[in-house]
Amino acid sequence: MQENKVELGGDWTYAPAPEDKKHVKIEKRYDLFINGKFVKPAKGKYFDTISPSTEEVLSQIAEADEKDVDTAVKAARNAYDKVWKKMPAKERGKYIFRIARMIQERSRELAVIESMNGGKPIRESRDIDVPLAANHFFYYAGWADKLEYAFPGKKPQSLGVVGQIIPWNFPLLMAAWKIAPALATGNTVVLKPAETTSLTALKLAEIIQESGLPDGVVNIVTGHGKTGAAIVNHPLVNKVAFTGSTDVGKIIQKAVAGTNKKVTLELGGKAANIVFEDAPIDQAVEGIVNGIFFNQGHVCCAGSRLFVQEGVAEELIRKLKDRMQTLIVGDPLDKNTDIGAINSKEQLQKIDHYLKLGSEEGAEMYQPSCSIPSKGFFCKPTLFLHASQSHRIVQEEIFGPVLTVQTFRTIEEVVEKANNIPYGLSAGVWTDKGSKIFNLTQNLRAGVIWANTYNKFDPTSPFGGYKESGFGREGGLHGLMPYLELT
Ligand code: NAI
Ligand code: MG
């Protein structure tokens, strides 16, 4: 890996502060977690998983085929019928609490592996991903024996086996978002992590095994898209929960049409982050930086379109550029790092394609002068000034540290522009006036709207989108509903 000295605007440097990884144990090879045991894939196939910041191979991961998925789904069905469905809800809750505590106990190891395998800065995996994952288990453990109170007058009933497919941007956290509510509502699970980031899900499998959760209640099968499709298409799967690209979301929706399977989809986003003239500008600059450069912009709710009111545009853009000069791109395990590695070569190529496209479309590109490591997949934080509504960089999800900038005069104008895209997951608003905030929360078609902050998550609040961003809510009391039949 390249010399880990960090340049700050060219003038001075930070000494490296890398997180220790000696305490971390990564096996050479990981099998499938089915029916409480780690088992070899039927065809004996494995694929490499790498560190996107060094390109070194970390481990080999089993590739599950249809037969393996069938075994996993049947194990989940059996565990549902024989054990989990019959278990008193209070007892189910105890297991979920135990998993939450074990995630906390192993948080350091999980954070380091998340950063090694996924590329995100250790500061984030340590302070956001892992604690939030534990909190999701804690939160939903509490609901397990209180479902009647969540839905007064209704009789909440579990669905059976749920198939869950998750992406690579928050690997452990997405596993927690999916598994915790499914277990709390009395369902059993077959989960597939993304092919580039299987390691923390497999660590979670170890935790689940150690927790004593009855065999087959949670099964974790690794593999590529075909493995995911086998889960979606399995006749014994009663519900599918998916987070990922809009393209795959559409495939899944077609696949379950005409079946009795329930489905929730969390898809892409292209959030507007809107700054009014009366906003606290310095605070807004921090929020904009957090909104798009957090986790390399690998966030479905990333604030990827900045709208700034004309009167403060010049000042805000100057301050934003200054702030971008101080951002540190590099080793995810270094505690100074602000922007880690792009998750995969494919994703970096996709982002690079949009960088070229943005310039061709006539927007003005700005990147700070920071250095980036020569090995691994890295991308400088990027602004596109003078972007216009019809540009593809404004309309399409880039999923990288790339921010388009547009100006506006009136609130009506910005509402129209913000809504005029296929997505509707989230938005941000920066203003001193509560009335403007309420105006926007009424008029923006977005599932989550942050005011004078950005990218704040909590297990108690629901999350989800409109339009091509998908449907169904995760988190909070709402997040229980997709896993229940309410009669
Ligand atoms: P993807 O949608 O292909 O992958 C997400 C998950 O779906 C992975 O576990 C994958 O193995 C699985 N999958 C792929 N094809 C499947 C199929 N036919 N049936 C069932 N499961 C399948 O996302 P990808 O290709 O990694 O990223 C492409 C773009 O999607 C990104 O550039 C980004 O724009 C968007 N994306 C959005 C995410 C979000 O959180 N909303 C997360 C990841 C990607
Ligand atoms: Mg894909």
Side-chain angles (χ1 to χ4, degrees):
M1 193 154 69
Q2 94 144 33
E3 178 57 52
N4 190 27
K5 206 164 77 181
V6 165
E7 282 181 29
L8 251 191
D11 297 321
W12 51 292
T13 55
Y14 276 124
E19 174 75 30
D20 184 22
K21 52 181 182 188
K22 281 202 256 351
H23 59 95
V24 163
K25 188 154 170 264
I26 299 176
E27 307 289 343
K28 280 214 176 76
R29 197 170 241 212
Y30 281 94
D31 290 323
L32 306 169
F33 184 63
I34 298 178
N35 209 19
K37 284 159 211 74
F38 284 91
V39 297
K40 300 211 173 315
K43 289 226 175 74
K45 272 208 204 158
Y46 294 81
F47 61 94
D48 288 344
T49 192
I50 65 164
S51 155
S53 58
T54 63
E55 299 178 53
E56 67 181 321
V57 175
L58 297 173
S59 182
Q60 286 197 314
I61 308 293
E63 176 91 40
D65 68 2
E66 277 175 22
K67 197 159 167 253
D68 300 306
V69 168
D70 182 57
T71 312
V73 172
K74 283 179 178 152
R77 184 70 224 182
N78 190 49
Y80 177 74
D81 290 331
K82 302 227 167 93
V83 186
W84 202 238
K85 190 170 71 173
K86 296 182 187 159
M87 190 182 283
K90 206 170 92 192
E91 295 305 310
R92 284 205 310 262
K94 284 185 196 168
Y95 286 107
I96 309 170
F97 275 123
R98 194 176 302 158
I99 295 167
R101 286 195 301 271
M102 291 174 75
I103 291 174
Q104 283 185 319
E105 281 161 17
R106 290 174 66 172
S107 58
R108 216 169 136 220
E109 183 190 8
L110 290 166
V112 172
I113 297 177
E114 200 72 305
S115 286
M116 287 171 75
N117 199 196
K120 67 175 62 199
I122 186 72
R123 267 197 342 243
E124 279 168 23
S125 44
R126 182 194 63 193
D127 299 345
I128 295 165
D129 295 61
V130 178
L132 262 181
N135 283 346
H136 267 269
F137 279 101
F138 276 123
Y139 174 73
Y140 281 110
W143 275 122
D145 60 352
K146 301 174 195 72
L147 296 175
E148 303 93 279
Y149 306 102
F151 307 104
K154 304 263 183 199
K155 201 164 164 274
Q157 278 167 304
S158 55
L159 304 174
V161 178
V162 302
Q164 307 183 315
I165 296 159
I166 57 172
W168 38 264
N169 52 344
F170 292 91
L172 181 70
L173 182 57
M174 284 300 114
W177 275 35
K178 295 278 182 283
I179 295 174
L183 295 185
T185 47
N187 299 282
T188 58
V189 170
V190 177
L191 174 123
K192 190 193 89 64
E195 49 271 38
T196 54
T197 53
S198 306
L199 287 179
T200 47
L202 291 159
K203 283 279 155 188
L204 182 61
E206 289 176 7
I207 288 173
I208 286 169
Q209 193 179 38
E210 253 179 74
S211 77
L213 186 77
D215 292 349
V217 172
V218 172
N219 305 273
I220 296 182
V221 292
T222 44
H224 293 77
K226 259 182 106 175
T227 312
I231 297 175
V232 171
N233 293 322
H234 198 289
L236 292 181
V237 166
N238 303 96
K239 181 210 155 53
V240 176
F242 172 77
T243 300
S245 63
T246 301
D247 286 350
V248 173
K250 286 177 181 168
I251 295 174
I252 291 178
Q253 186 147 25
K254 277 192 201 127
V256 301
T259 70
N260 280 330
K261 288 175 195 171
K262 281 196 168 200
V263 62
T264 40
L265 304 171
E266 293 289 347
L267 309 174
K270 191 76 182 174
N273 207 353
I274 300 167
V275 183
F276 286 97
E277 280 167 357
D278 58 5
I281 297 297
D282 293 328
Q283 208 176 307
V285 167
E286 278 312 304
I288 293 160
V289 165
N290 175 38
I292 183 65
F293 302 134
F294 167 60
N295 199 21
Q296 299 70 249
H298 295 339
V299 187
C300 46
C301 52
S304 51
R305 292 181 297 151
L306 174 63
F307 288 95
V308 48
Q309 204 164 14
E310 273 181 6
V312 288
E314 210 187 303
E315 178 193 355
L316 183 126
I317 289 161
R318 178 172 42 80
K319 288 184 166 172
L320 181 58
K321 285 178 171 176
D322 286 349
R323 181 68 180 89
M324 285 167 71
Q325 274 294 342
T326 68
L327 292 174
I328 298 168
V329 185
D331 181 6
L333 287 181
D334 194 311
K335 293 171 204 106
N336 294 319
T337 296
D338 297 300
I339 300 180
I342 300 302
N343 184 262
S344 67
K345 197 173 186 174
E346 290 68 40
Q347 188 59 28
L348 182 59
Q349 282 165 347
K350 176 178 167 185
I351 297 167
D352 282 343
H353 163 78
Y354 278 105
L355 294 186
K356 237 180 96 210
L357 186 71
S359 304
E360 283 166 14
E361 284 182 313
E364 180 190 317
M365 186 166 105
Y366 168 82
Q367 289 182 325
S369 58
C370 64
S371 66
I372 58 173
S374 52
K375 229 179 165 151
F377 316 131
F378 290 91
C379 178
K380 285 189 184 186
T382 306
L383 282 188
F384 274 113
L385 302 161
H386 312 296
S388 74
Q389 194 67 25
S390 61
H391 285 164
R392 281 180 60 196
I393 52 167
V394 168
Q395 290 290 326
E396 297 173 16
E397 184 178 51
I398 300 174
F399 227 62
V402 183
L403 178 66
T404 61
V405 184
Q406 294 170 265
T407 56
F408 69 93
R409 285 189 186 161
T410 65
I411 199 161
E412 292 76 23
E413 179 191 352
V414 77
V415 164
E416 188 174 330
K417 283 180 170 166
N419 283 339
N420 187 11
I421 43 153
Y423 295 110
L425 191 56
S426 59
V429 48
W430 299 83
T431 171
D432 204 23
K433 273 239 179 312
S435 58
K436 283 186 195 151
I437 295 172
F438 288 124
N439 183 323
L440 288 191
T441 52
Q442 288 299 305
N443 292 308
L444 289 177
R445 297 289 289 164
V448 180
I449 299 172
W450 285 289
N452 295 325
T453 186
Y454 208 90
N455 273 342
K456 284 273 182 292
F457 298 97
D458 188 284
T460 64
S461 55
F463 182 87
Y466 286 96
K467 301 192 277 193
E468 289 199 14
S469 292
F471 48 80
R473 296 292 178 261
E474 292 186 295
L477 194 147
H478 297 72
L480 294 165
M481 282 196 274
Y483 293 101
L484 289 169
E485 204 71 72
L486 293 173
T487 49

